[in-house]
Amino acid sequence: MIRRQYMEAQSNTSSILVSDFLLICFPNYQTWQHWLSLPLSLLFLLAMGANATLLITIRMEASLHEPMYYLLGLLSLLDLVLCLTVIPKVLAIFWFDNRSISFSACFLQMFVMNSFLTMESCTFMVMAYDRYVAICKPLQYPSIITDQFVVRAAIFVAARNGILTMPIPILSSQLRYCARIIKNCICTNMSVSKLSCDDITFNKLYQFVIGWTLLGSDLILIVISYSFIFSVVLRIKAEGAVAKALSTCGSHFILILFFSTVLLVLVITNLARERIPPDVPILLNILHHLIPPALNPIVYGVRTREIKQGIRNLLRRL
């Protein structure tokens, strides 16, 4: 059935009116899908359960009604949306061979993936600033990091990344397409755009420039924040104060390191696409939308005493 769909879709190489695409996961290793469906399902359930639990705990526990935890809740919300945008469709392909995705759904998925990925990066940057103020300017922290600050930060995160990444799916949707087979499990810009009969140089250039501008600027500001944090911490003379100060930003630093490492591996594998099997970047792309959302709430839950206590209180109410 898959081969017949593939041959029918590829038989017409002229420009066609595309109403839907066909997602072909792991073109060279179709049998991988059955083996991968179980661990991906478990990770998806873990990500959904952990983030939902964290959001409910922050909402219900009065002691967590503080800006730092509101920012963590924002990160969990972004993780939930990313997971729900990508993973259910991937599992539908694995389980039910539901490979078709409508034109509009494909570009909506593309927009969410691009915008919410950069929103996560921007949220990490805001959280780094929060830790900078908490450690470097502790007396001013209550007046700087307020509930109003969190609201303004959330609006900035959504507006900056939503507006600047919106042209990516818009540009791709305006192209004329000569084929409808996407050799990927998800609608990434490059996987879709290369099916076009038109020149996609500007599409590729815009995504490259805007991606590295947004992610790069966030990373630079995070590095600057932590440089100030470490310089202040190293000057602290009180016994045990260094460990206490570092523990307040340890979870955040771990998540940033993990997010950046996974993203870097994904970028390297895409740049070295000709030297590695094409299915490897596809798998890494799926895992990048699944593993960080599954680990983020767990890392904070394990390392933050207030969150652990809040979860215990929530469980007692059930």
Side-chain angles (χ1 to χ4, degrees):
M1 180 180 177
I2 298 171
R3 186 180 298 276
R4 184 170 68 254
Q5 291 176 328
Y6 185 88
M7 294 301 294
E8 289 175 355
Q10 292 290 358
S11 61
N12 182 11
T13 56
S14 61
S15 177
I16 60 175
L17 180 62
V18 174
S19 61
D20 66 347
F21 295 103
L22 289 178
L23 295 165
I24 306 297
C25 291
F26 309 117
N28 297 331
Y29 300 96
Q30 293 283 315
T31 55
W32 281 24
Q33 299 178 19
H34 303 293
W35 296 103
L36 281 174
S37 62
L38 179 58
L40 289 182
S41 300
L42 293 176
L43 279 172
F44 176 66
L45 292 175
L46 176 62
M48 292 295 98
N51 283 287
T53 300
L54 184 59
L55 284 170
I56 294 171
T57 301
I58 293 173
R59 173 67 180 84
M60 300 295 293
E61 192 65 25
S63 63
L64 300 180
H65 292 175
E66 297 179 6
M68 182 179 74
Y69 300 111
Y70 291 149
L71 292 173
L72 181 57
L74 174 61
L75 183 64
S76 286
L77 185 61
L78 295 174
D79 284 337
L80 279 173
V81 175
L82 267 177
C83 264
L84 289 171
T85 302
V86 174
I87 305 305
K89 182 59 182 177
V90 173
L91 294 178
I93 295 172
F94 288 177
W95 290 343
F96 310 114
D97 202 36
N98 183 13
R99 301 173 183 278
S100 177
I101 184 170
S102 69
F103 187 85
S104 57
C106 183
F107 291 108
L108 177 60
Q109 186 188 70
M110 185 188 298
F111 169 70
V112 172
M113 287 189 300
N114 283 284
S115 61
F116 276 66
L117 176 66
T118 53
M119 284 182 197
E120 281 203 0
S121 173
C122 193
T123 302
F124 280 128
M125 182 266 291
V126 175
M127 294 171 75
Y129 176 72
D130 169 80
R131 293 299 84 200
Y132 159 75
V133 176
I135 293 176
C136 300
K137 301 181 179 180
L139 298 179
Q140 302 175 36
Y141 182 84
S143 60
I144 296 176
I145 309 298
T146 62
D147 291 351
Q148 290 74 20
F149 169 83
V150 175
V151 172
R152 290 194 296 268
I155 293 173
F156 170 75
V157 168
R160 186 198 77 162
N161 299 288
I163 293 172
L164 293 179
T165 59
M166 189 175 291
I168 295 174
I170 291 177
L171 288 170
S172 294
S173 67
Q174 301 304 310
L175 297 172
R176 294 178 300 116
Y177 287 93
C178 300
R180 52 192 286 260
I181 295 290
I182 300 175
K183 294 183 179 180
N184 206 328
C185 297
I186 52 182
C187 289
T188 64
N189 183 38
M190 289 299 100
S191 297
V192 176
S193 296
K194 69 182 181 181
L195 303 179
S196 172
C197 316
D198 300 329
D199 182 14
I200 62 171
T201 302
F202 183 74
N203 298 52
K204 293 167 65 176
L205 180 62
Y206 183 85
Q207 181 174 19
F208 178 82
V209 171
I210 207 66
W212 282 107
T213 299
L214 294 176
L215 297 175
S217 61
D218 290 340
L219 182 60
I220 290 171
L221 291 172
I222 289 170
V223 170
I224 291 173
S225 296
Y226 272 95
S227 298
F228 282 117
I229 289 172
F230 289 137
S231 65
V232 169
V233 167
L234 292 176
R235 292 199 300 267
I236 297 176
K237 303 298 183 181
E239 185 178 352
V242 172
K244 183 178 179 180
L246 291 178
S247 68
T248 63
C249 56
S251 300
H252 179 239
F253 185 74
I254 291 172
L255 296 185
I256 290 174
L257 190 62
F258 185 78
F259 177 85
S260 303
T261 302
V262 173
L263 190 62
L264 181 62
V265 170
L266 184 60
V267 170
I268 292 174
T269 54
N270 276 278
L271 291 175
R273 189 179 291 271
E274 296 180 359
R275 300 181 182 180
I276 60 177
D279 295 321
V280 173
I282 295 174
L283 177 60
L284 289 175
N285 213 336
I286 295 172
L287 293 177
H288 184 252
H289 290 88
L290 187 57
I291 293 180
L295 291 184
N296 288 350
I298 294 176
V299 170
Y300 262 98
V302 169
R303 292 182 55 88
T304 308
R305 179 174 54 83
E306 291 80 5
I307 292 178
K308 285 192 290 186
Q309 185 59 48
I311 293 175
R312 292 193 193 101
N313 295 338
L314 180 65
L315 293 175
R316 292 193 191 102
R317 297 183 187 134
L318 298 178

